[in-house]
C-alpha cells in the first residue's frame, strides 16, 4: 500500500471465511506483548503457547511467536495455537499480540503496507480519518516493538543460558561421589545408544 492509496478495512471477525490472520505462517510476539500480559496478570494463560525461534535466527534474527497446530479441516495447514477453529475465533482476542491487532497493516520503518492481500476485511467498511490515524500509530508501534525484540532477544537469551550453565556447573561441583558415578553411567549409556542409532542409520 502507498500512503496515497486509501486504506479501508473491517475485520469480519467470526464471519471471516479464511482467517488469514490466524493461518499466516508466523504470528510474531514482542517484548511489549510479554510486558502487557504480565501487567494484565495474564502471562501464565499465554506463555504455554509462545515459542522462541532459534532455527531461523541466523537468517531472520531470533524471534518469539505463537506456537502452531494443524487445522482439523486441513491437516496440511497449520494455524496459531490460540485459534479456535470451531468458533472461528481467537481464544485470547482481548489480549492478542500487537501483530494481530495491527494486521493486515504493517510498517517497515519507512512506509505502511498491507501484509496479506487475501485478508477478507481489506476494502470493506469506511475508515474514518481518526481510525486510520490510530491504525497507522499501532502499525508504527508494532514495528518499533518488533525491531526492539529482534535486537535485544539474543542478549536476553545469552544472559539466561549463561546463568543456567553457571548453575549447572555449580550443581556438578556439589555432587556426591556416588551421584557423580550414577551420572557418568547414565551419560555413557546414552552415548552408547546414540552411537548404535547412528550405526543403524549408516
Ligand atoms: S493470537 Fe488470536 S488473532 Fe492472533 S493469530 Fe492467534 S488466534 Fe489469530
Amino acid at each position: 500500500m502507498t500512503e496515497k492509496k486509501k486504506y479501508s478495512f473491517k475485520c469480519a471477525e467470526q464471519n471471516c471465511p479464511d482467517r488469514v490472520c490466524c493461518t499466516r505462517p508466523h504470528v510474531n510476539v514482542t517484548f511489549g506483548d510479554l510486558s502487557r500480559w504480565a501487567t494484565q496478570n495474564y502471562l501464565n494463560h499465554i506463555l504455554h503457547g509462545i515459542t522462541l525461534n532459534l532455527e531461523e535466527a541466523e537468517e531472520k534474527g531470533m524471534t518469539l511467536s505463537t506456537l502452531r497446530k494443524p487445522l482439523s479441516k486441513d491437516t496440511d495447514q497449520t494455524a496459531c495455537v490460540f485459534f479456535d477453529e470451531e468458533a472461528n475465533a481467537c481464544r485470547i482476542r482481548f489480549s492478542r499480540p500487537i501483530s494481530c491487532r495491527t494486521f493486515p497493516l504493517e510498517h517497515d520503518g519507512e512506509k505502511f503496507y498491507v501484509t496479506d492481500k487475501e485478508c477478507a476485511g481489506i476494502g470493506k467498511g469506511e475508515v474514518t480519518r481518526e481510525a486510520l490515524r490510530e491504525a497507522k500509530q499501532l502499525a508504527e508501534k508494532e514495528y518499533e516493538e518488533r525491531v526492539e525484540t529482534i535486537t535485544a532477544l539474543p542478549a536476553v537469551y545469552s544472559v539466561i543460558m549463561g546463568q543456567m550453565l553457571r548453575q549447572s556447573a555449580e550443581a556438578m561441583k556439589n555432587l556426591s561421589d556416588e551421584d557423580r558415578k550414577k551420572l557418568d553411567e547414565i551419560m555413557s549409556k546414552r552415548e552408547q545408544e546414540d552411537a548404535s542409532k547412528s550405526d543403524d542409520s549408516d
Side-chain angles (χ1 to χ4, degrees):
M1 190 190 84
T2 65
E3 284 201 65
K4 283 177 190 157
K5 198 167 168 186
K6 198 172 174 203
Y7 173 71
S8 67
F9 168 74
K10 188 172 190 321
C11 181
E13 311 241 350
Q14 282 163 269
N15 296 322
C16 182
D18 307 314
R19 295 295 303 212
V20 289
C21 55
C22 304
T23 54
R24 68 197 145 118
H26 180 96
V27 178
N28 201 57
V29 169
T30 66
F31 283 157
D33 291 316
L34 297 180
S35 169
R36 280 182 289 277
W37 292 329
T39 308
Q40 293 161 359
N41 216 6
Y42 203 57
L43 202 52
N44 286 345
H45 296 278
I46 295 190
L47 271 189
H48 66 91
I50 306 300
T51 187
L52 172 68
N53 301 299
L54 293 174
E55 298 79 19
E56 54 196 33
E58 242 175 69
E59 201 187 321
K60 297 181 184 167
M62 203 180 279
T63 57
L64 297 169
S65 69
T66 60
L67 284 165
R68 315 288 304 170
K69 64 176 179 184
L71 284 176
S72 59
K73 66 173 183 189
D74 177 1
T75 47
D76 287 338
Q77 218 194 340
T78 63
C80 166
V81 75
F82 295 114
F83 178 51
D84 182 336
E85 206 176 341
E86 206 173 312
N88 199 32
C90 171
R91 286 196 287 110
I92 55 164
R93 167 108 179 84
F94 296 105
S95 297
R96 64 199 190 284
I98 192 168
S99 69
C100 303
R101 286 192 281 133
T102 191
F103 186 89
L105 188 65
E106 257 190 31
H107 189 57
D108 65 5
E110 288 178 7
K111 59 185 186 310
F112 296 94
Y113 59 99
V114 168
T115 51
D116 193 335
K117 295 195 169 73
E118 299 299 309
C119 172
I122 293 171
K124 305 277 163 46
E126 272 300 306
V127 174
T128 62
R129 190 181 287 240
E130 179 60 13
L132 183 58
R133 196 172 61 82
E134 281 176 15
K136 284 182 167 181
Q137 279 174 350
L138 192 64
E140 282 173 333
K141 187 170 161 58
E142 190 276 335
Y143 169 74
E144 282 163 19
E145 288 191 9
R146 185 166 16 112
V147 171
E148 181 198 36
T149 305
I150 287 180
T151 308
L153 196 51
V156 174
Y157 178 74
S158 299
V159 169
I160 294 169
M161 288 305 288
Q163 175 92 7
M164 284 170 70
L165 286 173
R166 278 195 299 278
Q167 280 175 349
S168 89
E170 197 61 32
M172 286 294 285
K173 257 200 308 196
N174 295 332
L175 276 185
S176 67
D177 287 347
E178 195 185 337
D179 285 344
R180 198 182 296 271
K181 199 173 153 210
K182 273 190 207 154
L183 190 62
D184 285 345
E185 281 167 11
I186 293 170
M187 295 304 285
S188 101
K189 198 171 162 203
R190 187 163 293 173
E191 274 167 23
Q192 281 168 11
E193 283 169 2
D194 287 348
S196 84
K197 265 189 215 154
S198 102
D199 286 349
D200 288 349
S201 64
D202 286 345

